[in-house]
Amino acid sequence: MTVGRAASPSNGLVCITDSTITSSCPSSPPTIGPITSSNVTVDVFIQGSSPVGGFDIYVRSDTAYLVPVSASLGTLIASPTFTSICVNDQSVNGSCTPNTANGPGVVEVSTIESSGNNDPGTGLAFTITYRAVHSTANTTLSYPSGPGCSPSSLEGSTCVAVVDSVGNILPEESQTANVNITHFVDKDQPPIIIDGNRGFTLQNGVRSGNGTASDPYAIDDWNIVPPGGITIENTDAYFVIRNVYVHSAGVRIMNVTNGLVQSSGIGTHMTIDSSRNILLDQSYVYGITIDSSRNITVFRSYVYDITINSSNNLTIFGSGGSYNRVIISSSENSTLLENRLYEIDIHESTRIAFLRNTFSTLNIYNSTWLTVENNTLTGGISIRDVSSEQLDSDTISTDNRVGGGSLLFYKNCSGVKIDSIESGELIVANCSGVQISNVRIAGLVETVLVRDAVVNNVTSSVLIASSRMITVANVQGGVELESASDVQISHVGDVSISRSANVSISETGSADVSYSKNVSILDSGNGPFERFTSSISASDNVTVKGNAFCYGDCTGLSILGSSHITVSDNSFNGDEGLDVEGSSFLQISDNLIYGVTGALNLDSCSHVSIMGNQFPSGGDEYPGVVRISRCNGIQISGNTLAAPTLLSCALYNCSPRVDIFVKIYYSSNMVIEGNTITNSSTAINIADSSNATIRDNTLQTDLNGVVLNDTSNFRLFHNNFLNNTFPVVDAYSTGNVWDSGYPSGGNYWSNSSRIDNCSGTQQNICTGPDGIVDAPYFFSNGEDRYPLAKPYSSYIVGTMSLKPSTISLQSPPRYLKVSILLQPGFNASNLGLSSIRLNDTRSPDPQSLARVQTSGGISHLDNIRYGSGREHNARPGNYVLQVTANIVTQTQFRPFVAYSAIRAMT
């Protein structure tokens, strides 16, 4: 596209001109003005084109300075037909073309020659009238672009199409125009604040009038200086706000009667509260809220969003805008007529009429006596939170059109079969025993107040509202559940579940669950749904199992404010696997969880079990593969967290692939046990936390094993610190203990002494080894009093028998014979005799240890003394006795435990 020169011999020129100066395209882009009045009219001219059979041309202005008011055809097309004029995305004649550049400040004019012949290629295409709303030395009128404007007479998707009589696109060039506005230099007005009729004064911008119906106070032709706005309250005098532009603070009308806002631009918001008899006429408003008011009219105005609450006798006519939303709540006796809207939500309202509107969707919630007739929709009508009595009061006629097709409405039916049909929308309401199959629907398939239904092989999306005993399968679109129960869903697109119960879904595109219970999300993420994600909020008793979550830049599963959630046997492949906040009683087990920026994130959670998961992180150096903050009652057990093995650092300047595997802060009451963590900068990093047990973990080839900062009441024992550069840092902590006492022992430190010749709590009985190193292991700010001589391994469970198995509480103290059988492969000679305990507290009688048999895998411990019932306040009954000990081999330190029952009698 070439701007600023006349047409070449082969192409014509589309230009914008000032008709008061010239009736043809100037040689360069003109400057129109200076403008000294409120309105300005420009011409859109075509010059030197090939013979023309029609055109579709868009012109855009900056609404901060020029707001288009109207447009009219010129004389270029001699006998025009099928003419459409669209101003600010509002149809003045014909219809606005969707999916193009229509919107605030855009004028679209299109027409064709009715005779079927071509007209000369030079002439006035159309004129546009603008309202000047603010002074500027230069604002540009240009030609916008849009996705639906291709092919174009200009380059790319610029919205200029000039055609010949058979529809061929004629190549053109274009020329813009600039506008100079001086009209508002002397008409800037500070904020207007009127409280009561006496506030209508010259200082508040009133130019004329006496406040009567025939001569209202006139506040007109002003530019309200930012950041001010207009506030009018507690008045009943008649007034009009006309040709006023408000930039920032908006307009607030409260407790007002008899007001008119006309031909004005409100760049932010307008509020009408506790008022009546208010008219908004042919104005531009970003958004409007109407609250507790009556007799309010919005007439042919461009409004992005409209919110109506607790109001009545409203009329919205010929208004709307692109992608706007209307919300109506607790209101009555109102009409929406011939508007162009996007989405309408109506809640708990009555006697509202929707007539001849164009919009995407109408969502009805718990409302009665509605009239919905002769509307054109692209998305459809949904009905939710409604009783059968309320449904019977509504009138939804079949002359509504959805996606170009008719609306089918089945109500109060039983045993109906709907098969192999094609329509715009299908609604089945208050029915039972329904079968819907093989249907092609442009908009929506909906069941509301339906019991016992099957929906199968549907091309559209499906809404199940206030229904139960429903099976949905093979749906090309998504499925939404609202207040439903006993539903099975499979082989569908995205699924949304709200306020529902007893739902099972499988093989879906995504699954979002809110305010629901007893939900199963199963076996999704394979086949066509490789971007599977799920979110769970404010829900209870949800199972997520067997799914393959999304790859790449995504979060697989989000859980918020929920309880009793089970997440098992899934694979998480995205940058973030699970994100959990404000939830409790979660079990996360047996999952494969990748994640380069955080595989598992917990925030403000309680009673969470993280068990048996694999974290094969190969990700970035990011702090925390597992991140936990502000949580209570967390168990992390049996997980494997492993980064890839590093290349030789003698040859490469390398560092661990993972910065911190487990990062915890501001948390309490935790158990971290039985995990294997390898190849990180820091295996476990905990700060500002309290009351934790860290045991039975293997931390290997990490730069730092465990780093504690500002913690209290931690117990750390039976961990293996293998080949870590800095096994432990414990700073600014109180009450932390790094062993479990004697004979249970502390941790295994691969960088410490392994001399083990003695036993006992003081390690001063030097008659043989006991699996405990003879000297404590010291580190900064702490010590392990009983470091293990061999790497720790898991418990061995043996069998035990007692003789006698019944004792009398009245008999004198005597000895109990204990026989223990170890598992195959373990010899009793490896049993540390000094570690033997009865019920964790009692040592055997020292003399009896000399008679212990330690051959053949059987150990007989004779003469373990027990006291009388009088001595220990025992009562008659059945008891379980536990014997523990340590088994120490050449390669392992393993606790041993055995149990047996005994009966106490009087």
Side-chain angles (χ1 to χ4, degrees):
M1 178 177 65
T2 303
V3 178
R5 64 181 180 85
S8 68
S10 59
N11 295 347
L13 178 66
V14 179
C15 68
I16 302 169
T17 70
D18 182 350
S19 61
T20 64
I21 298 176
T22 179
S23 59
S24 62
C25 293
S27 60
S28 63
T31 296
I32 301 171
I35 304 301
T36 58
S37 62
S38 297
N39 294 325
V40 56
T41 298
V42 302
D43 295 343
V44 178
F45 203 84
I46 297 178
Q47 181 171 297
S49 176
S50 299
V52 174
F55 61 84
D56 186 2
I57 298 175
Y58 296 64
V59 178
R60 170 179 287 161
S61 65
D62 185 343
T63 57
Y65 305 103
L66 291 172
V67 177
V69 175
S70 63
S72 60
L73 281 179
T75 57
L76 175 66
I77 302 300
S79 301
T81 187
F82 294 110
T83 300
S84 292
I85 299 176
C86 182
V87 179
N88 296 318
D89 205 19
Q90 294 297 299
S91 174
V92 177
N93 187 72
S95 61
C96 299
T97 306
N99 196 33
T100 56
N102 280 314
V106 176
V107 173
E108 177 195 8
V109 178
S110 65
T111 191
I112 61 173
E113 171 60 55
S114 63
S115 67
N117 299 319
N118 286 319
D119 291 315
T122 297
L124 176 63
F126 57 94
T127 64
I128 306 173
T129 298
Y130 292 94
R131 183 172 66 256
V133 295
H134 192 53
S135 59
T136 180
N138 182 41
T139 184
T140 301
L141 300 176
S142 60
Y143 310 97
S145 298
C149 292
S150 181
S152 169
S153 292
L154 307 180
E155 294 179 351
S157 57
T158 304
C159 296
V160 173
V162 181
V163 299
D164 62 18
S165 60
V166 294
N168 295 317
I169 296 289
L170 302 177
E172 309 288 352
E173 299 184 24
S174 68
Q175 182 175 274
T176 61
N178 302 314
V179 181
N180 176 274
I181 305 171
T182 61
H183 172 58
F184 287 99
V185 171
D186 298 321
K187 294 191 177 182
D188 285 349
Q189 168 69 28
I192 294 174
I193 301 175
I194 298 173
D195 188 353
N197 292 339
R198 291 184 178 182
F200 289 105
T201 63
L202 180 63
Q203 289 77 13
N204 273 322
V206 176
R207 295 187 182 275
S208 62
N210 59 17
T212 62
S214 59
D215 189 15
Y217 291 119
I219 303 171
D220 58 12
D221 215 11
W222 289 115
N223 174 61
I224 307 300
V225 177
I230 298 177
T231 298
I232 302 176
E233 54 188 3
N234 305 317
T235 68
D236 59 6
Y238 288 83
F239 69 88
V240 57
I241 300 172
R242 182 186 297 113
N243 293 332
V244 172
Y245 191 82
V246 182
H247 292 268
S248 54
V251 174
R252 182 172 181 265
I253 296 174
M254 183 173 182
N255 194 27
V256 168
T257 303
N258 305 322
L260 167 63
V261 179
Q262 186 177 57
S263 302
S264 295
I266 302 171
T268 54
H269 205 79
M270 180 176 183
T271 300
I272 301 173
D273 189 359
S274 304
S275 299
R276 60 191 177 96
N277 303 336
I278 307 295
L279 169 62
L280 177 67
D281 179 27
Q282 300 183 72
S283 295
Y284 169 85
V285 183
Y286 188 83
I288 183 170
T289 297
I290 303 170
D291 194 3
S292 303
S293 299
R294 59 190 174 95
N295 300 333
I296 310 297
T297 299
V298 179
F299 181 80
R300 291 197 181 279
S301 293
Y302 189 95
V303 184
Y304 266 105
D305 293 304
I306 303 173
T307 300
I308 301 169
N309 184 54
S310 302
S311 299
N312 62 80
N313 296 321
L314 275 66
T315 300
I316 302 175
F317 176 80
S319 299
S322 298
Y323 303 106
N324 63 339
R325 187 178 185 187
V326 178
I327 301 175
I328 304 172
S329 302
S330 304
S331 298
E332 60 180 332
N333 298 324
S334 298
T335 300
L336 284 77
L337 174 65
E338 297 182 3
N339 301 284
R340 190 171 187 268
L341 308 168
Y342 183 71
E343 183 176 12
I344 301 175
D345 290 353
I346 178 168
H347 301 261
E348 297 178 338
S349 297
T350 186
R351 302 188 185 280
I352 310 293
F354 301 90
L355 309 173
R356 302 194 299 278
N357 300 281
T358 298
F359 47 83
S360 175
T361 57
L362 172 62
N363 303 312
I364 300 171
Y365 300 87
N366 195 21
S367 297
T368 59
W369 299 104
L370 304 181
T371 300
V372 184
E373 295 180 347
N374 200 20
N375 299 281
T376 300
L377 302 93
T378 57
I381 301 171
S382 68
I383 306 170
R384 310 160 193 258
D385 295 339
V386 65
S387 67
S388 58
E389 293 78 12
Q390 291 170 327
L391 188 64
D392 286 338
S393 72
D394 296 333
T395 299
I396 301 176
S397 63
T398 56
D399 60 5
N400 294 285
R401 305 284 293 178
V402 180
S406 60
L407 170 66
L408 301 180
F409 197 172
Y410 293 79
K411 186 164 67 173
N412 302 328
C413 58
S414 177
V416 65
K417 294 184 178 181
I418 304 169
D419 190 12
S420 302
I421 65 167
E422 185 171 350
S423 184
E425 180 172 3
L426 171 63
I427 301 176
V428 180
N430 199 29
C431 296
S432 63
V434 177
Q435 294 185 30
I436 302 171
S437 59
N438 307 311
V439 297
R440 297 179 60 85
I441 304 296
L444 188 67
V445 172
E446 176 180 1
T447 72
V448 55
L449 295 173
V450 169
R451 180 176 60 86
D452 186 17
V454 175
V455 180
N456 182 47
N457 196 17
V458 175
T459 60
S460 67
S461 296
V462 175
L463 169 62
I464 309 296
S466 303
S467 300
R468 60 190 181 95
M469 299 172 60
I470 311 294
T471 299
V472 182
N474 303 309
V475 174
Q476 293 183 15
V479 176
E480 180 180 0
L481 266 62
E482 177 84 22
S483 303
S485 63
D486 303 309
V487 181
Q488 294 186 355
I489 302 172
S490 64
H491 297 91
V492 303
D494 298 335
V495 175
S496 175
I497 302 171
S498 177
R499 295 183 295 168
S500 298
N502 305 326
V503 179
S504 176
I505 64 175
S506 61
E507 299 189 67
T508 69
S510 66
D512 297 327
V513 181
S514 62
Y515 300 97
S516 298
K517 62 181 181 179
N518 303 330
V519 177
S520 296
I521 303 170
L522 310 172
D523 303 324
S524 293
N526 300 301
F529 302 121
E530 293 185 353
R531 293 288 297 175
F532 179 72
T533 61
S534 182
S535 66
I536 302 168
S537 62
S539 296
D540 181 71
N541 195 22
V542 179
T543 298
V544 183
K545 185 174 182 180
N547 303 283
F549 285 89
C550 60
Y551 291 81
D553 184 12
C554 63
T555 298
L557 174 61
S558 299
I559 303 173
L560 175 64
S562 298
S563 63
H564 300 96
I565 311 297
T566 299
V567 182
S568 63
D569 299 304
N570 304 282
S571 65
F572 294 87
N573 308 290
D575 287 352
E576 292 202 13
L578 290 84
D579 191 86
V580 185
E581 182 177 353
S583 299
S584 60
F585 297 101
L586 277 72
Q587 180 174 318
I588 302 170
S589 62
D590 301 311
N591 301 283
L592 181 63
I593 309 176
Y594 294 90
V596 298
T597 59
L600 172 58
N601 305 314
L602 298 178
D603 188 4
S604 304
C605 298
S606 65
H607 302 96
V608 180
S609 174
I610 305 168
M611 301 176 59
N613 302 285
Q614 301 287 323
F615 294 87
S617 178
D620 302 331
E621 295 181 8
Y622 196 85
V625 174
V626 176
R627 297 197 295 269
I628 300 173
S629 62
R630 292 175 286 272
C631 292
N632 177 62
I634 307 298
Q635 180 177 2
I636 305 173
S637 60
N639 303 283
T640 300
L641 300 93
T645 303
L646 300 177
L647 297 173
S648 172
C649 289
L651 300 176
Y652 300 93
N653 182 18
C654 61
S655 60
R657 293 286 299 276
V658 174
D659 188 2
I660 301 173
F661 253 126
V662 178
K663 183 175 180 63
I664 302 174
Y665 51 97
Y666 301 118
S667 298
S668 60
N669 300 316
M670 298 166 288
V671 175
I672 303 174
E673 64 177 346
N675 304 284
T676 300
I677 304 176
T678 59
N679 297 336
S680 69
S681 289
T682 302
I684 299 173
N685 184 304
I686 305 177
D688 302 294
S689 300
S690 62
N691 301 324
T693 297
I694 302 176
R695 58 174 295 172
D696 305 1
N697 302 285
T698 296
L699 314 178
Q700 186 170 5
T701 60
D702 303 294
L703 291 182
N704 297 282
V706 173
V707 176
L708 304 181
N709 186 36
D710 199 8
T711 59
S712 62
N713 301 323
F714 274 44
R715 297 179 66 238
L716 301 95
F717 58 93
H718 293 176
N719 301 289
N720 294 319
F721 292 88
L722 304 177
N723 302 319
N724 303 294
T725 305
F726 304 100
V728 60
V729 175
D730 189 0
Y732 306 106
S733 300
T734 57
N736 291 351
V737 178
W738 285 82
D739 58 66
S740 187
Y742 189 85
S744 179
N747 306 277
Y748 176 75
W749 311 88
S750 64
N751 64 340
S752 73
S753 168
R754 298 179 181 82
I755 298 175
D756 179 18
N757 296 319
C758 305
S759 63
T761 58
Q762 304 299 318
Q763 291 292 293
N764 57 359
I765 304 172
C766 298
T767 58
D770 60 353
I772 306 293
V773 176
D774 293 343
Y777 177 80
F778 293 99
F779 52 87
S780 60
N781 304 312
E783 67 170 323
D784 181 348
R785 296 173 300 166
Y786 302 107
L788 305 183
K790 303 294 182 181
Y792 176 85
S793 191
S794 58
Y795 271 88
I796 298 172
V797 179
T799 58
M800 178 175 73
S801 61
L802 301 175
K803 291 183 180 181
S805 60
T806 301
I807 61 174
S808 172
L809 297 177
Q810 304 300 323
S811 64
R814 41 181 286 202
Y815 292 97
L816 179 69
K817 182 178 181 180
V818 179
S819 295
I820 297 173
L821 177 64
L822 300 180
Q823 293 179 359
F826 294 95
N827 193 288
S829 62
N830 301 124
L831 199 68
L833 299 182
S834 64
S835 67
I836 299 172
R837 295 292 185 271
L838 175 65
N839 287 1
D840 291 327
T841 59
R842 294 190 176 190
S843 301
D845 184 280
Q847 299 300 319
S848 71
L849 293 178
R851 296 190 296 275
V852 172
Q853 299 178 17
T854 59
S855 61
I858 299 177
S859 176
H860 296 285
L861 307 183
D862 298 322
N863 303 322
I864 296 179
R865 183 182 293 274
Y866 69 91
S868 67
R870 293 186 300 273
E871 180 182 350
H872 295 282
N873 297 317
R875 295 183 179 182
N878 295 320
Y879 293 87
V880 175
L881 296 184
Q882 169 189 279
V883 170
T884 57
N886 297 327
I887 294 178
V888 182
T889 69
Q890 292 296 318
T891 58
Q892 295 177 337
F893 178 99
R894 302 194 72 166
F896 164 83
V897 64
Y899 304 92
S900 185
I902 192 168
R903 181 173 178 79
M905 302 177 63
T906 57

